[in-house]
Amino acid sequence: MSELTVAATQMACGPDRDENIARAEKLVTHAAERGAQIVLLQELFETPYFCKDTEPGFLHLALPVADNPAVRHMRALAYRLGVVLPVSIYERTNNALYNSLVMIDADGEILGVYRKSHIPDGPGYKEKYYFSPGDSGFLVWNTRYARVGAAVCWDQWFPETARILALKGADIICYPTAIGSEPHDPTIHSRDHWQRTMQGHAAANMVPVIASNRIGREEGRTCEITFYGSSFIADNTGKKVAEAGESDEAVLTAQFDLDALRRARLEWGVFRDRRIDIYGELLTLDGTLRHPAHR
């Protein structure tokens, strides 16, 4: 199938897990009614964003994939509606905890699990307390409708993430997100920077990008964050073709011709002309290559 309709969603999250899952189901259903075949929900939508503070009790929110109620619910929903659902969860496996994304195909089957690679740590976003760095590598899945690549929130600021997903053949890149105000500096409003970064990934890799962010004001023990929504869909040139507001629940859709996008990526030459023989500095922290004998 060449024609693909995708959807981005955004919503506020309250303290009741079941209510959040039900609200997410409503948005997915609305998107499917509008023809969406791939529907993206925001990061960690089962709960409020608990990473505002370091609280040991929140560690127990993590569950194995097989025991997670959102995964079970969304698998049944994907099967019933015939839609692909990338689902963001807090995953526990033995004694390890990850910020993970479960890729659910349109038949309800789990295709695999991506674990967030880049873990932030700053005022209001204390994720290193809750999550280990992901060990899955960057993944692209053959879903019923398209080859879908996905990463999670802070991953979206790194061009390497999007480039690897594109190199692996992604037709679409999905970024579930939880981002808003900066508790330490109320003058910072990163929405435009956030959007432009991902628009650049779409343009540089000639792959459409879907970003779903949460909305609402959430209070923690030490700070509060107002999440600024602004979920969007960008085409393969980086142009925003659908965008939500900062505070309203929303479902966005956009349609793409996958065959046309694949032809454009091939013919434009950005992958043909890559020079992997001179990119060694990308594998260093300071941009300096050192001969082994001089270390």
Side-chain angles (χ1 to χ4, degrees):
M1 178 181 293
S2 182
E3 294 296 324
L4 175 71
T5 301
V6 301
T9 67
Q10 64 181 37
M11 68 183 201
C13 297
D16 189 294
R17 188 191 297 251
D18 291 337
E19 289 182 3
N20 292 329
I21 293 173
R23 189 175 296 115
E25 177 181 354
K26 182 187 73 172
L27 296 179
V28 172
T29 301
H30 185 197
E33 290 170 348
R34 293 171 56 179
Q37 298 149 297
I38 299 171
V39 184
L40 182 63
L41 294 161
Q42 64 213 37
E43 183 184 20
L44 299 173
F45 65 87
E46 293 177 87
T47 65
Y49 180 73
F50 51 85
C51 307
K52 295 182 290 295
D53 305 299
T54 55
E55 298 280 2
F58 290 147
L59 297 171
H60 300 281
L61 292 171
L63 295 169
V65 171
D67 297 336
N68 183 281
V71 172
R72 289 198 301 266
H73 198 94
M74 293 302 158
R75 289 186 67 185
L77 185 64
Y79 175 79
R80 177 162 59 85
L81 298 177
V83 297
V84 174
L85 296 176
V87 175
S88 171
I89 66 166
Y90 190 12
E91 179 195 4
R92 177 174 180 173
T93 176
N94 297 323
N95 293 309
L97 306 175
Y98 298 100
N99 187 334
S100 297
L101 180 144
V102 180
M103 185 61 69
I104 302 173
D105 206 357
D107 59 0
E109 293 303 307
I110 294 174
L111 296 181
V113 178
Y114 167 72
R115 291 168 173 163
K116 185 174 180 178
S117 300
H118 304 93
I119 310 298
D121 185 39
Y125 300 89
K126 299 289 188 180
E127 295 199 11
K128 280 186 166 62
Y129 180 80
Y130 294 99
F131 311 124
S132 294
D135 57 3
S136 63
F138 299 111
L139 303 176
V140 173
W141 294 275
N142 287 313
T143 73
R144 178 182 296 181
Y145 304 114
R147 286 182 56 78
V148 179
V152 179
C153 201
W154 191 229
D155 289 330
Q156 67 205 178
W157 294 88
F158 295 84
E160 297 87 351
T161 301
R163 176 49 55 92
I164 291 171
L165 293 174
L167 288 174
K168 289 189 168 186
D171 291 311
I172 298 286
I173 296 175
C174 298
Y175 292 114
T177 304
I179 189 171
S181 57
E182 300 292 335
H184 69 292
D185 188 346
T187 68
I188 296 175
H189 187 46
S190 62
R191 181 201 60 201
D192 293 346
H193 184 187
W194 171 75
Q195 287 189 341
R196 285 193 294 264
T197 297
M198 287 178 282
Q199 289 175 259
H201 300 333
N205 294 291
M206 300 189 71
V207 175
V209 161
I210 313 170
S212 290
N213 191 23
R214 68 173 60 205
I215 56 172
R217 178 174 171 269
E218 297 185 14
E219 294 186 11
R221 177 175 53 82
T222 62
C223 67
E224 63 184 48
I225 296 176
T226 298
F227 295 93
Y228 53 59
S230 305
S231 303
F232 71 97
I233 302 170
D235 69 11
N236 65 319
T237 71
K239 177 183 177 181
K240 288 184 288 186
V241 295
E243 181 179 6
E246 291 194 30
S247 58
D248 295 328
E249 188 171 281
V251 173
L252 311 172
T253 60
Q255 189 173 72
F256 298 105
D257 183 333
L258 293 182
D259 288 342
L261 293 177
R262 292 164 183 159
R263 286 196 302 270
R265 278 195 297 276
L266 182 65
E267 295 170 3
W268 201 251
V270 292
F271 291 97
R272 177 199 64 203
D273 296 339
R274 293 180 67 246
R275 288 288 310 279
I276 60 173
D277 56 315
I278 58 173
Y279 295 160
E281 286 88 347
L282 287 175
L283 301 180
T284 70
L285 289 176
D286 65 358
T288 302
L289 286 175
R290 295 173 176 84
H291 190 279
H294 298 151
R295 288 177 182 171

